[in-house]
Amino acid sequence: MSLNDILHYLRLGGVTLAMLIFASVAALIVAVERIIVLWGVGERSRALGETVNKHLLRGDVAAARTAAERSDAVAADIFLAGFDRMERSRTAGGAGIEAAVERERAQVALKLRRYLWILATIGSITPFVGLFGTVAGIMRSFKDLGLDVEAGGTGGSSAVMTGISEALVATAVGILVAVQAMVFYNYFQARLSRVLVELRLIGDEFVELLKERAAGLPPSEPMPPEPQAAPATRTDAQPA
């Protein structure tokens, strides 16, 4: 298909094809923006989680909080919410830390899912927009056929078939745009599911360590192996 053919179909498509092209560009913009936002989210969160947990295992809560404040990972907000709650509930032995971390984790999940509704909407409505353009084009073709007959024309099927073939372009474009949007949407959904599971695991381990610090208990360490008892020596009785 040459450039002239594409321009010809665009002129015929009118408003319908313009809407579909706009939707395709919007889906592409959202996909690029989400790729930039989600790039390295899991890796940075895991690295920050390991750093914070190491400080907590050593009992250095201040260093752990400083590491979270200096990080740009999304998990930093989860850690800071836990530290803030720990400061407010120090006398209560860390009560409410888990709830605070869970609330912040939900907020982070909402931020990571931002704009995905646009992809889902484009993927669901563009086939119907294309179908509407096709129906409108077929109606126009039959109208032209009727006018041709009234003017004394032959009313052959060639005029109708040409108009219908041109009208079907709107349906084809609508399906292509929907496939594009749904591929992006499903990719981000799968990636976000993995990232959110990692954030849950990181947050759960962080809550456990922070509760131990808030309660003033030392971090759990592996128990040393129990010493084995020395075998008893047997002394043979000597005859008297």
Side-chain angles (χ1 to χ4, degrees):
M1 183 180 291
S2 63
L3 180 60
N4 291 330
D5 294 335
I6 295 175
L7 294 177
H8 172 69
Y9 284 121
L10 288 177
R11 286 193 297 269
L12 291 176
V15 178
T16 302
L17 274 185
M19 292 174 59
L20 293 175
I21 292 173
F22 174 78
S24 177
V25 173
L28 186 60
I29 292 174
V30 171
V32 172
E33 189 270 343
R34 287 293 90 187
I35 289 175
I36 294 174
V37 170
L38 298 177
W39 188 268
V41 167
E43 291 78 4
R44 292 197 300 269
S45 297
R46 285 194 300 270
L48 177 60
E50 292 175 358
T51 301
V52 170
N53 291 340
K54 286 180 181 178
H55 289 307
L56 291 177
L57 285 170
R58 291 197 298 264
D60 195 346
V61 178
R65 182 178 185 121
T66 301
E69 291 173 344
R70 293 178 177 177
S71 176
D72 60 347
V74 294
D77 295 334
I78 298 175
F79 295 142
L80 292 176
F83 287 127
D84 291 340
R85 185 63 183 180
M86 177 184 176
E87 291 295 329
R88 294 196 301 268
S89 61
R90 183 177 295 274
T91 58
I97 292 178
E98 186 173 0
V101 169
E102 184 62 31
R103 284 194 300 269
E104 189 60 34
R105 186 163 46 198
Q107 292 291 334
V108 170
L110 290 177
K111 293 178 183 177
L112 294 178
R113 295 183 185 277
R114 185 180 299 173
Y115 303 132
L116 291 186
W117 65 270
I118 297 178
L119 296 177
T121 303
I122 291 175
S124 61
I125 69 172
T126 47
F128 299 102
V129 174
L131 183 60
F132 170 79
T134 296
V135 172
I138 293 174
M139 293 171 61
R140 184 170 58 249
S141 297
F142 279 102
K143 179 181 179 181
D144 294 340
L145 177 62
L147 293 176
D148 182 66
V149 172
E150 290 179 358
T154 60
S157 61
S158 59
V160 178
M161 293 300 107
T162 301
I164 291 176
S165 65
E166 292 171 348
L168 288 174
V169 173
T171 298
V173 174
I175 294 174
L176 288 176
V177 174
V179 169
Q180 171 197 3
M182 293 311 298
V183 166
F184 286 140
Y185 179 78
N186 290 332
Y187 167 75
F188 289 122
Q189 284 289 83
R191 186 168 181 180
L192 279 175
S193 296
R194 183 179 61 186
V195 170
L196 294 178
V197 169
E198 292 178 350
L199 290 178
R200 178 173 294 278
L201 296 176
I202 292 171
D204 291 344
E205 184 178 4
F206 167 71
V207 168
E208 292 175 2
L209 295 174
L210 202 60
K211 282 184 175 180
E212 292 178 352
R213 293 292 91 199
L217 298 176
S220 58
E221 297 179 354
M223 296 294 294
E226 296 182 358
Q228 297 181 354
T233 59
R234 180 181 177 182
T235 57
D236 297 332
Q238 298 295 332

